[in-house]
Amino acid sequence: MFLLFFIESPEQGGADMYNIVIGSNSYAEMIIDLLIEKNKLVFAMDKKENLQRISQKKIVKLEVNTDNSKLVQSSLGNQQVESIYIVTDDDKLNLMLGEQLAEYDNTYVFLLDEKLTAIADGNYKIICPSLLIKEFVMREIQ
Amino acid sequence: MFAIVVGDIKKSELVIKNLKDKNYGVTFIDINMLKNITGNCLKENRAHFAKLFIALTDDDHMNLYLCKLAKKVYNVEKTIALANYPDNIDLMKRQNIDNVICPNLFIKNSIEEIVTREEE
């Protein structure tokens, strides 16, 4: 009987974990939709003018000047972060934000230009469409 | 000695003149003429011969990227980046940029000094 007092209910134990998507392009929208489908809590972060491009209603939108890396980090505050997807239109900005947010587990940085992967050295995972396509084609050829 | 300066001419003019006075050979890459600066651009401008690389664009992420590229790919000895946001200084320093300069911080300190002096 005592054991019952020590077993946490899912609501108590699983504090709300947030998934952060930085950027407002079509890839960001796709990631947001996938996360929503999986019933995840999503925070979308970007500059005000860019955020208006996101049509998804079931998310929290946070206006942040993404050029200021520290401001982006402090906007996350004390939230429990499950994953961070950095998907702005600018690869160089994605790299900079990735370096700043590398301390979080499951930080993904989107890079359109494959060459930029050469100077990416933070503790984050890179999503590069051209590399994915290359991998796919190589796999299919074999 | 050879230096590369990237930025707009207004910000870079004085720096270029100063470097030339110190007998540096200087290549200037105008960010307004070349919106998308890539690794190839640095290669074309002989970055591998440069002793000094200075990034003075309006975008901190561009300055960070260019300095990292200069350091990691072209082994430039000294890199200097402009930080338009003081908040980005720490991150840039952590990325092995040798010197990070922030005009906003200079302005703030100067004004603070003037105000303090006047109060005394």
Side-chain angles (χ1 to χ4, degrees), chain A residues 65-129:
Chain A
N65 178 7
T66 46
D67 290 336
N68 184 336
S69 61
K70 218 176 200 172
L71 191 65
V72 172
Q73 189 180 28
S74 60
S75 301
L76 300 180
N78 296 323
Q79 306 288 359
Q80 300 262 44
V81 175
E82 187 173 5
S83 60
I84 300 174
Y85 298 87
I86 304 168
V87 210
T88 77
D89 288 325
D90 188 332
D91 277 1
K92 289 148 194 141
L93 178 60
N94 293 347
L95 260 188
M96 182 175 84
L97 294 174
E99 305 288 356
Q100 183 70 31
L101 303 173
E103 66 188 62
Y104 290 92
D105 291 333
N106 302 324
T107 298
Y108 299 90
V109 174
F110 188 87
L111 295 178
L112 267 179
D113 186 355
E114 190 186 325
K115 286 177 191 151
L116 264 77
T117 57
I119 57 162
D121 51 7
N123 185 28
Y124 45 79
K125 295 159 196 110
I126 291 167
I127 305 172
C128 180

Side-chain angles (χ1 to χ4, degrees), chain B residues 90-105:
Chain B
D90 285 343
L91 171 71
M92 288 170 134
K93 283 184 176 169
R94 284 204 306 273
Q95 298 291 307
N96 291 329
I97 293 176
D98 298 300
N99 292 88
V100 181
I101 47 173
C102 180
N104 288 343
L105 220 54

Side-chain angles (χ1 to χ4, degrees), chain B residues 55-56 60 63-64 67 78-103 105-106:
Chain B
L56 300 175
D60 290 355
N63 296 336
L64 176 66
C67 284
K78 198 174 181 67
T79 52
I80 302 173
L82 171 72
N84 296 284
Y85 289 93
D87 279 348
N88 288 334
I89 295 173
D90 285 343
L91 171 71
M92 288 170 134
K93 283 184 176 169
R94 284 204 306 273
Q95 298 291 307
N96 291 329
I97 293 176
D98 298 300
N99 292 88
V100 181
I101 47 173
C102 180
L105 220 54
F106 286 135

